[in-house]
Structure formats: C-alpha cells, structure tokens
Amino acid sequence: MPHLDEDGMCRICRWTLSPHGGERDCHCPFCSLCTRFIGPELSFHHTERIYFRSEGEGDLLVPFRRKMPSNKSVSDAPITQFVNCQILRDHKLQREDLWVRKGRILDPAKLFFDEQGSADRRVDCGGCIIAPGFLDVQINGGYGVDFSQATDDVSAGVALVAKKILEHGVTSFCPTLVTSPSAVYHKVIPQVKVQNGGIEGAGILGLHLEGPFISREKKGAHPEKYLRSFQSGGEGGGAGGGVSDLLETYGSLDNVAMVTLAPELPGSQTVVRELSQRGITVSLGHSVANLSQAEEAVNNGASSITHLFNAMNAFHHRDPGIVGLLTSDRIPAGRTVYYGMIADGIHTNPAALRIAHRAHPSGLVLVTDAITAMGLPPGRHTLGQQVLEIQGLHAYVAGTTTLSGSIATMDMCVRHFKQASGCSIEYALEAASLHPAQLLGISDRKGTLNYGTDADLVLVDEDLNIKATYISGEEVWRE
C-alpha cells in the first residue's frame, strides 16, 4: 500500500502494520485512530491523504491519493521529524518519533488532524534514545575558566564553558559563584545574563550564588575570611530583615536563579522568605543546621539541599540534620524537597547514593559541582580565592585533603549514578533533566519532551554515551 514502506511501516508515523488489522490499518497511536470509514465503502489515512475504496465485497481496499496540503498554509517554519528512536516521555522510553517546529515539540496528532501537515526533513537517530537536554544547576567553571574570578570579560569565560559542555549533553546551566569578596560579586553578576542556548553554547538559567552566608564550621573550600552573616534586622523583620545584607554583598539579585545559605544563621529565615517570594530558589548547604531549623526553612520557602552529605552534619539517629529532610513529615503538602548529588565516584560513596535514591527518589538532582580544572590536566588551578590541586579525579584545596568541587562532566555523573544506584536508564536521565527543571520551577518548558516544551534534546546510546545535542531542535554538537 502506498503509505507503507518496503518493511511494512507507515511512512509518516514509522509504526509497523498491525498483523491482525489486515491492510486497512496501521498499528500506531495516530493511524489506528484516523483510519475511519466515510460511508460504507470509503475510508482514508489522514497522514498522506490516502483514501481507500472497496471494489467489491470481500476485496481488499484499493488506495488512491488526494493532494496533501502544504505546511505553508499553517506556518512558514519547517517541521523536523526525528525517526528511528526511543523517546523519554512520562518516565518511560517509548518507541515513537519526535516532531519539532520553531524550537518547540509538536503534538503530531494535532499536526496530522488539524493541520494535515507533514515533515519537511527527517533526522535518523540510528536507534538512539532521545532525552531532554541536561541541566546543571551547580557548576563553578571549567576548561580553565573560574566563574568566581572578576576578570574584565566574564561573559567570554562563561561563553567558553557554555560551548564546551554541549558535548556532555548540557543544554542549560547555572553558573555558580562560591564565597567571594563583595567586589567580585559586584563585577561578575552584572555580566551574566539569563539567555537561551544555541549553536554558540548552552543556555544560562541564572546564577547560583553559593555563599557567603554559610557556616564557618562547614565552609569546605570556601575562604573563611569572606564569609558573612546577616547583620541587619532579625527574625521579626525590620531594617530590611537581612535582605539588605544580601543586596550589600551581591549588589543585585537580577539574573540570580538560586542562593545557597545556612538556615541556622540568625536572620536567615527572613531571607529565605524574601528570596522565595522573589522567585529565587533557596538551597540549604554548608551548614550545621539541625532538622528543626531545616524544616523551618522549608516551611518558609526553601526547596533544595546543596550537594547532599557534603559540608553538613553527618546523619545521626537522634537528629538527622539537613539529611533528615528527605523523609521529614513536616514538608508542606504538595511540596518536594530536592537535593543535589555529586555522583562523580569521589564525593559520595555508592552506598550513600543508594540510600538517598531509595529514600527520596523524586528529589534527586545530579550536579557536577565542576571547577575550573574540568577538562584540564592535573596540576594547580583556582576556585574563587583558593588554590586547588588536581590529583587524578580528586580536586583538593592545595596542601590539604579538603575536597573542593569536582572535575566530572554531567554525562559522566549520569553514567556513574546509574551504575552505582542500579536505577533505570529513564531515572538516571531524568535526574539530570526533569528534576533540576522542577527544582527551578521551569518544567513547563525545560526538562521534558512534553508537547509545547523547548526542543532541547540529547541523543544517547544504551550505555548513556552522548551522540548528539540539540537546542531548540537544531543540532549544536555531534560526536
């Protein structure tokens, strides 16, 4: 039949003819719905406007063709159809095609039924999995670039990293600044703008400001002399309630997506409320907070934990601290607490990865926490105001055994997490895409392959190696 290829597959939807449906019907979500009778002897296949008529009782339906309307009657934008693939949708892999127009994912049923449209070009995915592009909400730099260095051209450094991480499947990210002098924030923040990605590099979702309002006891690699506390106002409000300290330190909250702070600091709960009301994600980290203080912060609007298990009190059965948020019964209804996990094989033991995953799977967000040495050989590098030493896959504050960020890439983290946790391919991919999008409140446009969302895609093989990266439906990197 004209709408089938030599393998018996529908030329449009790519599904095989139903073995029990005779030659009248395709076995696919669209064709099986649309092959309907018009009168006793006429039916049609909408996708190619192939009509069928009976030429006698018991005879096979005989096809004849009517002219297919042009897509130009609907839009001048070309339609791309990704074929020979599995797509990650609704938490499972589905063998179907993906349709894209004007940078967004199309609903093929509406395209076929309402517009009577077809593809302008097809991309053969060679059997790969199509997943949403990865989002990295904690990355300090890479390839010799340190986001916390106040250079004369900060944007050029950010652009370099944005370009390089495309090969690791990252389509959007949050440049992260560690604890720094106020002068650094005042110079760097105005130069980093939220922007869409493209062939020039991954999109910028906004800055992640990790510090300086953190605990001295759990400062990790953050330089102690630049740590700050909230001086103005208190938990009752007044004198800016601590927010004026933020503005004095950072200079501006424009283009800021996320702030990490310690909830036990006096005045912090007021700050949590204010940041949350401004639409900025508040994450708890570098902290000695007990569980009650962490729960209070969540009830005031905090929604995340920064690199779980690292730079916080160890789990204790009488007071589990921030870690206890994973199973707390004091989380407001309808809210999810997310937690960053550095799955580089160094920062977190595989057993700890499994504990977190099994205790609270819906909140796990893979992050790289990558530093300037990502993509560079071993040696000495910088992170903010600190000197670091890279030994193998370990990054230490020079002269110490204090871990300081990671040199892992996001695709490495996805693969290691799947191997260490024993989770499904689907879950590993969503931990780097759907979950960070939900954390930032942008899953209506990022992190899924739902109809109408941005066509930011990554093609991976069954071993989760990156084969190609797309932003807005356009190829930006290929192996």
Side-chain angles (χ1 to χ4, degrees):
M1 300 180 73
H3 70 295
L4 303 178
D5 64 18
E6 61 274 10
D7 296 319
M9 298 182 71
C10 172
R11 295 183 189 278
I12 300 299
C13 64
R14 310 301 301 166
W15 280 63
T16 305
L17 188 70
S18 170
H20 54 74
E23 294 192 16
R24 297 187 180 192
D25 208 351
C26 292
H27 185 54
C28 76
F30 311 116
C31 303
S32 60
L33 292 174
C34 71
T35 304
R36 59 184 183 271
F37 288 101
I38 305 175
E41 297 183 342
L42 191 66
S43 68
F44 73 93
H45 188 295
H46 73 91
T47 52
E48 287 204 34
R49 275 303 179 259
I50 300 170
Y51 286 74
F52 304 89
R53 58 177 175 242
S54 174
E55 294 191 339
E57 187 173 352
D59 290 344
L60 293 177
L61 297 180
V62 177
F64 65 97
R65 189 182 299 270
R66 292 189 179 178
K67 183 175 176 62
M68 182 75 177
S70 167
N71 291 325
K72 302 305 181 185
S73 64
V74 177
S75 170
D76 288 334
I79 295 172
T80 301
Q81 178 187 8
F82 293 82
V83 302
N84 190 17
C85 57
Q86 297 182 76
I87 68 172
L88 177 57
R89 181 178 286 151
D90 297 329
H91 316 298
K92 58 182 179 290
L93 293 176
Q94 307 179 37
R95 185 163 290 283
E96 60 181 83
D97 296 349
L98 191 74
W99 300 73
V100 174
R101 179 170 62 196
K102 297 176 70 174
R104 300 289 181 87
I105 297 173
L106 277 178
D107 179 350
K110 290 184 178 180
L111 172 66
F112 297 159
F113 283 120
D114 300 341
E115 302 180 15
Q116 303 174 2
S118 60
D120 295 286
R121 70 183 181 108
R122 290 191 177 93
V123 176
D124 188 336
C125 300
C128 283
I129 294 168
I130 299 182
F134 300 154
L135 282 63
D136 194 350
V137 300
Q138 187 174 6
I139 173 172
N140 308 288
Y143 309 97
V145 175
D146 180 358
F147 297 146
S148 298
Q149 289 291 323
T151 64
D152 292 332
D153 194 356
V154 171
S155 57
V158 173
L160 174 63
V161 175
K163 181 70 173 179
K164 292 285 191 178
I165 59 179
L166 293 175
E167 67 181 278
H168 302 294
V170 178
T171 54
S172 298
F173 70 112
C174 292
T176 303
L177 305 186
V178 297
T179 294
S180 303
S182 293
V184 170
Y185 294 116
H186 290 197
K187 186 168 185 178
V188 173
I189 290 177
Q191 295 188 62
V192 182
K193 308 291 184 184
V194 173
Q195 63 186 40
N196 294 324
I199 190 65
E200 71 284 351
I204 298 174
L205 299 170
L207 286 159
H208 178 175
L209 305 180
E210 184 187 3
F213 300 96
I214 58 175
S215 165
R216 294 181 183 274
E217 294 93 323
K218 295 295 180 180
K219 65 183 185 301
H222 292 237
E224 183 171 355
K225 66 180 178 179
Y226 297 121
L227 298 183
R228 296 282 301 268
S229 58
F230 299 111
Q231 302 296 330
S232 60
E235 296 306 343
V243 177
S244 60
D245 295 304
L246 288 179
L247 295 175
E248 178 185 334
T249 300
Y250 299 141
S252 170
L253 292 173
D254 293 342
N255 296 291
V256 173
M258 195 169 178
V259 171
T260 290
L261 54 76
E264 73 275 13
L265 297 180
S268 64
Q269 300 296 339
T270 300
V271 173
V272 170
R273 285 194 298 270
E274 176 64 25
L275 288 173
S276 299
Q277 290 169 2
R278 295 185 182 210
I280 296 173
T281 297
V282 177
S283 191
L284 311 180
H286 287 278
S287 166
V288 294
N290 58 38
L291 179 58
S292 294
Q293 291 167 324
E295 289 172 332
E296 182 182 4
V298 171
N299 279 270
N300 282 323
S303 58
S304 178
I305 303 169
T306 296
H307 43 53
L308 185 73
F309 299 127
N310 290 276
M312 62 187 62
N313 284 343
F315 178 89
H316 190 281
H317 60 283
R318 292 196 182 93
D319 188 343
I322 290 178
V323 177
L325 289 175
L326 272 63
T327 57
S328 171
D329 60 1
R330 291 192 58 200
I331 306 302
R335 292 271 306 282
T336 298
V337 174
Y338 297 91
Y339 56 97
M341 186 68 76
I342 310 171
D344 62 353
I346 294 168
H347 278 78
T348 310
N349 185 279
L353 283 176
R354 291 190 288 272
I355 288 171
H357 169 228
R358 294 173 189 177
H360 185 32
S362 63
L364 192 149
V365 175
L366 291 177
V367 299
T368 62
D369 198 19
I371 60 170
T372 182
M374 178 180 68
L376 297 181
R380 290 207 166 195
H381 306 279
T382 63
L383 174 61
Q385 311 305 306
Q386 295 277 38
V387 176
L388 310 180
E389 188 164 358
I390 307 304
Q391 301 175 16
L393 295 176
H394 295 73
Y396 299 111
V397 174
T400 76
T401 57
T402 300
L403 285 173
S404 176
S406 163
I407 58 174
T409 57
M410 183 58 82
D411 56 325
M412 290 172 56
C413 290
V414 172
R415 290 191 295 271
H416 175 74
F417 175 71
K418 180 184 180 300
Q419 185 275 327
S421 69
C423 72
S424 66
I425 286 177
E426 294 91 333
Y427 183 88
L429 291 169
E430 288 189 336
S433 55
L434 173 63
H435 296 179
Q438 291 172 329
L439 163 64
L440 295 178
I442 57 174
S443 59
D444 59 330
R445 55 190 177 90
K446 302 284 186 185
T448 78
L449 300 183
N450 293 340
Y451 305 138
T453 58
D454 294 345
D456 296 348
L457 321 169
V458 60
L459 272 63
V460 300
D461 64 18
E462 60 183 11
D463 296 320
L464 299 178
N465 298 302
I466 308 298
K467 298 300 179 181
T469 305
Y470 287 76
I471 293 181
S472 297
E474 298 297 326
E475 183 178 292
V476 294
W477 181 83
R478 179 168 288 275
E479 185 181 40

Short mmCIF file of all heavy atoms in Angstrom, two decimals, residues 367-423:
data_model
loop_
_atom_site.label_atom_id
_atom_site.label_comp_id
_atom_site.label_asym_id
_atom_site.label_seq_id
_atom_site.Cartn_x
_atom_site.Cartn_y
_atom_site.Cartn_z
N VAL A 367 24.26 16.98 39.93
CA VAL A 367 25.03 18.20 39.66
C VAL A 367 26.49 17.79 39.47
O VAL A 367 26.93 16.77 40.00
CB VAL A 367 24.92 19.23 40.80
CG1 VAL A 367 23.48 19.67 40.99
CG2 VAL A 367 25.49 18.69 42.11
N THR A 368 27.23 18.59 38.74
CA THR A 368 28.66 18.30 38.60
C THR A 368 29.48 18.97 39.70
O THR A 368 30.48 18.43 40.15
CB THR A 368 29.20 18.77 37.24
OG1 THR A 368 29.05 20.20 37.14
CG2 THR A 368 28.47 18.09 36.10
N ASP A 369 29.09 20.16 40.14
CA ASP A 369 29.90 20.99 41.03
C ASP A 369 31.30 21.14 40.44
O ASP A 369 32.31 21.18 41.14
CB ASP A 369 29.98 20.38 42.43
CG ASP A 369 30.43 21.39 43.48
OD1 ASP A 369 30.33 22.61 43.21
OD2 ASP A 369 30.88 20.97 44.57
N ALA A 370 31.35 21.19 39.10
CA ALA A 370 32.62 21.23 38.39
C ALA A 370 33.37 22.53 38.64
O ALA A 370 32.77 23.59 38.79
CB ALA A 370 32.39 21.03 36.90
N ILE A 371 34.68 22.43 38.65
CA ILE A 371 35.54 23.59 38.89
C ILE A 371 36.34 23.89 37.63
O ILE A 371 36.22 23.22 36.61
CB ILE A 371 36.46 23.36 40.09
CG1 ILE A 371 37.37 22.14 39.83
CG2 ILE A 371 35.65 23.17 41.36
CD1 ILE A 371 38.48 21.97 40.85
N THR A 372 37.18 24.89 37.72
CA THR A 372 37.95 25.36 36.57
C THR A 372 38.79 24.27 35.91
O THR A 372 39.07 24.34 34.73
CB THR A 372 38.88 26.52 37.02
OG1 THR A 372 39.59 27.02 35.90
CG2 THR A 372 39.87 26.06 38.08
N ALA A 373 39.17 23.25 36.69
CA ALA A 373 40.04 22.19 36.15
C ALA A 373 39.29 21.15 35.34
O ALA A 373 39.93 20.27 34.74
CB ALA A 373 40.78 21.51 37.29
N MET A 374 37.96 21.20 35.29
CA MET A 374 37.25 20.25 34.43
C MET A 374 37.73 20.42 32.99
O MET A 374 37.76 21.52 32.46
CB MET A 374 35.73 20.50 34.49
CG MET A 374 34.93 19.58 33.58
SD MET A 374 33.15 19.87 33.66
CE MET A 374 33.00 21.51 32.90
N GLY A 375 38.17 19.32 32.41
CA GLY A 375 38.66 19.38 31.04
C GLY A 375 40.12 19.73 30.92
O GLY A 375 40.65 19.85 29.82
N LEU A 376 40.80 19.92 32.06
CA LEU A 376 42.22 20.27 32.06
C LEU A 376 43.05 19.15 32.70
O LEU A 376 42.52 18.32 33.44
CB LEU A 376 42.46 21.58 32.82
CG LEU A 376 41.80 22.83 32.25
CD1 LEU A 376 42.16 24.03 33.13
CD2 LEU A 376 42.24 23.07 30.81
N PRO A 377 44.35 19.12 32.46
CA PRO A 377 45.20 18.08 33.05
C PRO A 377 45.44 18.33 34.54
O PRO A 377 45.16 19.42 35.06
CB PRO A 377 46.50 18.21 32.25
CG PRO A 377 46.53 19.64 31.82
CD PRO A 377 45.09 20.01 31.54
N PRO A 378 45.97 17.34 35.26
CA PRO A 378 46.31 17.52 36.69
C PRO A 378 47.26 18.70 36.89
O PRO A 378 48.03 19.07 36.00
CB PRO A 378 46.97 16.19 37.06
CG PRO A 378 46.41 15.20 36.08
CD PRO A 378 46.25 15.97 34.81
N GLY A 379 47.18 19.29 38.08
CA GLY A 379 48.05 20.42 38.40
C GLY A 379 47.33 21.38 39.32
O GLY A 379 46.33 21.03 39.94
N ARG A 380 47.84 22.59 39.41
CA ARG A 380 47.25 23.60 40.30
C ARG A 380 46.37 24.55 39.51
O ARG A 380 46.73 25.01 38.41
CB ARG A 380 48.35 24.38 41.02
CG ARG A 380 49.08 23.54 42.05
CD ARG A 380 49.67 24.37 43.17
NE ARG A 380 50.07 23.53 44.29
CZ ARG A 380 50.35 24.00 45.51
NH1 ARG A 380 50.28 25.29 45.74
NH2 ARG A 380 50.68 23.17 46.49
N HIS A 381 45.18 24.84 40.09
CA HIS A 381 44.20 25.73 39.45
C HIS A 381 43.55 26.55 40.55
O HIS A 381 43.88 26.41 41.73
CB HIS A 381 43.16 24.90 38.69
CG HIS A 381 43.76 23.95 37.70
ND1 HIS A 381 44.16 24.33 36.44
CD2 HIS A 381 44.03 22.61 37.80
CE1 HIS A 381 44.65 23.28 35.80
NE2 HIS A 381 44.60 22.24 36.60
N THR A 382 42.61 27.42 40.18
CA THR A 382 41.95 28.26 41.17
C THR A 382 40.46 27.96 41.24
O THR A 382 39.85 27.49 40.28
CB THR A 382 42.12 29.76 40.86
OG1 THR A 382 41.47 30.05 39.61
CG2 THR A 382 43.57 30.14 40.80
N LEU A 383 39.88 28.24 42.40
CA LEU A 383 38.43 28.25 42.59
C LEU A 383 38.14 29.45 43.48
O LEU A 383 38.41 29.42 44.68
CB LEU A 383 37.92 26.97 43.25
CG LEU A 383 36.42 26.96 43.61
CD1 LEU A 383 35.57 27.13 42.36
CD2 LEU A 383 36.04 25.70 44.34
N GLY A 384 37.64 30.52 42.87
CA GLY A 384 37.44 31.75 43.63
C GLY A 384 38.76 32.26 44.14
O GLY A 384 39.69 32.52 43.38
N GLN A 385 38.86 32.36 45.46
CA GLN A 385 40.08 32.90 46.07
C GLN A 385 41.02 31.81 46.55
O GLN A 385 42.03 32.09 47.18
CB GLN A 385 39.68 33.80 47.26
CG GLN A 385 38.60 34.82 46.94
CD GLN A 385 38.95 35.70 45.76
OE1 GLN A 385 40.00 36.33 45.74
NE2 GLN A 385 38.05 35.76 44.77
N GLN A 386 40.69 30.53 46.26
CA GLN A 386 41.50 29.42 46.73
C GLN A 386 42.36 28.82 45.60
O GLN A 386 41.98 28.88 44.43
CB GLN A 386 40.60 28.30 47.28
CG GLN A 386 39.80 28.69 48.52
CD GLN A 386 40.62 28.55 49.79
OE1 GLN A 386 41.82 28.84 49.80
NE2 GLN A 386 39.98 28.12 50.86
N VAL A 387 43.49 28.25 45.99
CA VAL A 387 44.31 27.49 45.05
C VAL A 387 44.00 26.01 45.25
O VAL A 387 43.96 25.51 46.39
CB VAL A 387 45.82 27.74 45.30
CG1 VAL A 387 46.65 26.85 44.38
CG2 VAL A 387 46.15 29.21 45.08
N LEU A 388 43.76 25.31 44.14
CA LEU A 388 43.39 23.91 44.20
C LEU A 388 44.45 23.05 43.54
O LEU A 388 45.20 23.52 42.67
CB LEU A 388 42.05 23.67 43.49
CG LEU A 388 40.89 24.58 43.89
CD1 LEU A 388 39.66 24.21 43.09
CD2 LEU A 388 40.62 24.48 45.38
N GLU A 389 44.49 21.80 43.94
CA GLU A 389 45.41 20.86 43.33
C GLU A 389 44.64 19.66 42.83
O GLU A 389 43.87 19.04 43.58
CB GLU A 389 46.47 20.43 44.33
CG GLU A 389 47.57 19.60 43.69
CD GLU A 389 48.80 19.49 44.57
OE1 GLU A 389 48.81 20.08 45.66
OE2 GLU A 389 49.76 18.81 44.16
N ILE A 390 44.82 19.31 41.54
CA ILE A 390 44.13 18.19 40.94
C ILE A 390 45.05 16.98 40.94
O ILE A 390 46.16 17.01 40.40
CB ILE A 390 43.68 18.50 39.50
CG1 ILE A 390 42.88 19.80 39.47
CG2 ILE A 390 42.87 17.34 38.93
CD1 ILE A 390 41.67 19.81 40.38
N GLN A 391 44.58 15.90 41.57
CA GLN A 391 45.31 14.64 41.61
C GLN A 391 44.38 13.55 41.10
O GLN A 391 43.44 13.15 41.78
CB GLN A 391 45.78 14.32 43.03
CG GLN A 391 46.69 15.37 43.64
CD GLN A 391 47.03 15.05 45.09
OE1 GLN A 391 46.83 13.94 45.57
NE2 GLN A 391 47.54 16.05 45.81
N GLY A 392 44.61 13.11 39.88
CA GLY A 392 43.70 12.14 39.28
C GLY A 392 42.33 12.76 39.10
O GLY A 392 42.19 13.81 38.47
N LEU A 393 41.30 12.13 39.70
CA LEU A 393 39.94 12.67 39.64
C LEU A 393 39.58 13.48 40.88
O LEU A 393 38.44 13.91 41.03
CB LEU A 393 38.92 11.53 39.45
CG LEU A 393 39.03 10.76 38.12
CD1 LEU A 393 38.03 9.61 38.10
CD2 LEU A 393 38.78 11.70 36.94
N HIS A 394 40.55 13.68 41.77
CA HIS A 394 40.31 14.41 43.01
C HIS A 394 40.75 15.86 42.87
O HIS A 394 41.81 16.14 42.30
CB HIS A 394 41.06 13.78 44.18
CG HIS A 394 40.58 12.40 44.54
ND1 HIS A 394 40.86 11.30 43.77
CD2 HIS A 394 39.85 11.96 45.59
CE1 HIS A 394 40.32 10.23 44.33
NE2 HIS A 394 39.70 10.60 45.43
N ALA A 395 39.94 16.78 43.43
CA ALA A 395 40.29 18.19 43.49
C ALA A 395 40.34 18.61 44.95
O ALA A 395 39.33 18.56 45.66
CB ALA A 395 39.25 19.03 42.74
N TYR A 396 41.55 18.99 45.42
CA TYR A 396 41.74 19.36 46.82
C TYR A 396 42.13 20.83 46.94
O TYR A 396 42.76 21.39 46.03
CB TYR A 396 42.87 18.53 47.45
CG TYR A 396 42.66 17.05 47.48
CD1 TYR A 396 43.43 16.21 46.68
CD2 TYR A 396 41.71 16.47 48.33
CE1 TYR A 396 43.26 14.83 46.72
CE2 TYR A 396 41.53 15.09 48.36
CZ TYR A 396 42.30 14.28 47.55
OH TYR A 396 42.12 12.92 47.58
N VAL A 397 41.79 21.44 48.07
CA VAL A 397 42.41 22.71 48.42
C VAL A 397 43.90 22.42 48.59
O VAL A 397 44.29 21.48 49.30
CB VAL A 397 41.82 23.28 49.73
CG1 VAL A 397 42.57 24.54 50.14
CG2 VAL A 397 40.34 23.59 49.54
N ALA A 398 44.72 23.20 47.90
CA ALA A 398 46.16 22.92 47.87
C ALA A 398 46.73 22.79 49.28
O ALA A 398 46.47 23.61 50.16
CB ALA A 398 46.89 24.02 47.11
N GLY A 399 47.49 21.71 49.50
CA GLY A 399 48.13 21.48 50.79
C GLY A 399 47.24 20.83 51.81
O GLY A 399 47.64 20.68 52.98
N THR A 400 46.02 20.46 51.44
CA THR A 400 45.09 19.83 52.38
C THR A 400 44.47 18.59 51.73
O THR A 400 44.75 18.26 50.58
CB THR A 400 43.95 20.80 52.79
OG1 THR A 400 43.01 20.88 51.70
CG2 THR A 400 44.49 22.18 53.10
N THR A 401 43.59 17.94 52.48
CA THR A 401 42.79 16.83 51.93
C THR A 401 41.32 17.22 51.83
O THR A 401 40.45 16.36 51.75
CB THR A 401 42.93 15.58 52.82
OG1 THR A 401 42.53 15.90 54.16
CG2 THR A 401 44.36 15.06 52.81
N THR A 402 41.05 18.53 51.82
CA THR A 402 39.67 19.02 51.71
C THR A 402 39.24 19.00 50.24
O THR A 402 39.86 19.65 49.40
CB THR A 402 39.57 20.46 52.25
OG1 THR A 402 39.95 20.48 53.63
CG2 THR A 402 38.14 20.97 52.11
N LEU A 403 38.20 18.25 49.96
CA LEU A 403 37.67 18.20 48.60
C LEU A 403 37.11 19.56 48.21
O LEU A 403 36.51 20.26 49.03
CB LEU A 403 36.58 17.14 48.48
CG LEU A 403 37.05 15.68 48.44
CD1 LEU A 403 35.84 14.74 48.50
CD2 LEU A 403 37.87 15.40 47.19
N SER A 404 37.31 19.92 46.97
CA SER A 404 36.86 21.23 46.50
C SER A 404 36.29 21.10 45.10
O SER A 404 36.99 21.26 44.10
CB SER A 404 38.03 22.21 46.50
OG SER A 404 37.63 23.46 45.95
N GLY A 405 35.00 20.82 45.04
CA GLY A 405 34.37 20.70 43.73
C GLY A 405 34.81 19.44 43.03
O GLY A 405 35.51 18.57 43.57
N SER A 406 34.41 19.34 41.78
CA SER A 406 34.60 18.12 41.01
C SER A 406 35.19 18.48 39.65
O SER A 406 35.11 19.62 39.21
CB SER A 406 33.25 17.42 40.84
OG SER A 406 33.28 16.47 39.81
N ILE A 407 35.77 17.49 38.99
CA ILE A 407 36.20 17.70 37.61
C ILE A 407 35.41 16.78 36.68
O ILE A 407 35.76 16.61 35.51
CB ILE A 407 37.71 17.46 37.44
CG1 ILE A 407 38.12 16.05 37.87
CG2 ILE A 407 38.50 18.50 38.22
CD1 ILE A 407 39.58 15.74 37.58
N ALA A 408 34.31 16.23 37.19
CA ALA A 408 33.46 15.33 36.40
C ALA A 408 32.55 16.14 35.49
O ALA A 408 32.16 17.27 35.80
CB ALA A 408 32.63 14.44 37.31
N THR A 409 32.19 15.55 34.35
CA THR A 409 31.22 16.13 33.45
C THR A 409 29.85 15.52 33.73
O THR A 409 29.73 14.47 34.37
CB THR A 409 31.60 15.88 31.99
OG1 THR A 409 31.72 14.46 31.78
CG2 THR A 409 32.93 16.54 31.66
N MET A 410 28.79 16.16 33.21
CA MET A 410 27.45 15.70 33.54
C MET A 410 27.17 14.29 32.99
O MET A 410 26.54 13.47 33.67
CB MET A 410 26.40 16.68 33.02
CG MET A 410 24.97 16.29 33.39
SD MET A 410 24.67 16.11 35.17
CE MET A 410 24.41 17.84 35.63
N ASP A 411 27.63 14.00 31.80
CA ASP A 411 27.38 12.66 31.26
C ASP A 411 28.11 11.59 32.08
O ASP A 411 27.61 10.48 32.26
CB ASP A 411 27.74 12.57 29.78
CG ASP A 411 29.17 12.99 29.48
OD1 ASP A 411 29.69 13.90 30.15
OD2 ASP A 411 29.78 12.41 28.57
N MET A 412 29.30 11.92 32.60
CA MET A 412 30.00 11.00 33.50
C MET A 412 29.17 10.74 34.75
O MET A 412 29.06 9.60 35.21
CB MET A 412 31.36 11.57 33.89
CG MET A 412 32.38 11.60 32.78
SD MET A 412 33.90 12.51 33.27
CE MET A 412 34.39 11.61 34.74
N CYS A 413 28.59 11.80 35.30
CA CYS A 413 27.77 11.66 36.51
C CYS A 413 26.54 10.80 36.26
O CYS A 413 26.15 9.98 37.10
CB CYS A 413 27.36 13.04 37.02
SG CYS A 413 28.71 14.03 37.71
N VAL A 414 25.91 10.99 35.11
CA VAL A 414 24.72 10.19 34.77
C VAL A 414 25.09 8.71 34.69
O VAL A 414 24.40 7.85 35.24
CB VAL A 414 24.10 10.68 33.45
CG1 VAL A 414 22.99 9.73 32.99
CG2 VAL A 414 23.53 12.09 33.61
N ARG A 415 26.18 8.42 33.99
CA ARG A 415 26.59 7.02 33.85
C ARG A 415 26.98 6.41 35.19
O ARG A 415 26.59 5.27 35.51
CB ARG A 415 27.74 6.90 32.84
CG ARG A 415 27.34 7.17 31.40
CD ARG A 415 28.46 6.79 30.43
NE ARG A 415 29.65 7.62 30.59
CZ ARG A 415 29.86 8.77 29.94
NH1 ARG A 415 28.94 9.23 29.11
NH2 ARG A 415 30.96 9.45 30.13
N HIS A 416 27.76 7.15 35.97
CA HIS A 416 28.19 6.61 37.27
C HIS A 416 26.99 6.43 38.19
O HIS A 416 26.90 5.41 38.90
CB HIS A 416 29.20 7.54 37.94
CG HIS A 416 29.58 7.08 39.33
ND1 HIS A 416 30.40 6.01 39.57
CD2 HIS A 416 29.19 7.55 40.56
CE1 HIS A 416 30.53 5.83 40.88
NE2 HIS A 416 29.80 6.75 41.49
N PHE A 417 26.07 7.37 38.18
CA PHE A 417 24.91 7.25 39.06
C PHE A 417 24.08 6.02 38.72
O PHE A 417 23.64 5.29 39.61
CB PHE A 417 24.05 8.51 38.99
CG PHE A 417 22.79 8.39 39.79
CD1 PHE A 417 22.83 8.40 41.17
CD2 PHE A 417 21.57 8.23 39.16
CE1 PHE A 417 21.67 8.26 41.92
CE2 PHE A 417 20.40 8.08 39.90
CZ PHE A 417 20.46 8.10 41.28
N LYS A 418 23.88 5.79 37.44
CA LYS A 418 23.10 4.60 37.05
C LYS A 418 23.80 3.33 37.51
O LYS A 418 23.16 2.42 38.06
CB LYS A 418 22.90 4.56 35.53
CG LYS A 418 22.09 3.33 35.09
CD LYS A 418 21.97 3.24 33.59
CE LYS A 418 21.16 1.99 33.22
NZ LYS A 418 21.80 0.74 33.71
N GLN A 419 25.11 3.26 37.30
CA GLN A 419 25.85 2.07 37.69
C GLN A 419 25.86 1.88 39.21
O GLN A 419 25.66 0.76 39.72
CB GLN A 419 27.29 2.17 37.15
CG GLN A 419 28.16 0.93 37.38
CD GLN A 419 28.81 0.93 38.75
OE1 GLN A 419 29.16 1.99 39.30
NE2 GLN A 419 28.98 -0.26 39.33
N ALA A 420 26.05 2.97 39.95
CA ALA A 420 26.18 2.87 41.41
C ALA A 420 24.84 2.62 42.10
O ALA A 420 24.78 1.92 43.11
CB ALA A 420 26.82 4.15 41.96
N SER A 421 23.78 3.21 41.57
CA SER A 421 22.47 3.11 42.22
C SER A 421 21.65 1.92 41.74
O SER A 421 20.73 1.48 42.43
CB SER A 421 21.67 4.39 41.99
OG SER A 421 21.29 4.51 40.63
N GLY A 422 21.97 1.43 40.54
CA GLY A 422 21.15 0.36 39.97
C GLY A 422 19.82 0.85 39.46
O GLY A 422 18.90 0.05 39.22
N CYS A 423 19.69 2.15 39.25
CA CYS A 423 18.42 2.71 38.79
C CYS A 423 18.23 2.44 37.30
O CYS A 423 19.13 1.96 36.61
CB CYS A 423 18.36 4.21 39.07
SG CYS A 423 19.43 5.20 38.00
#
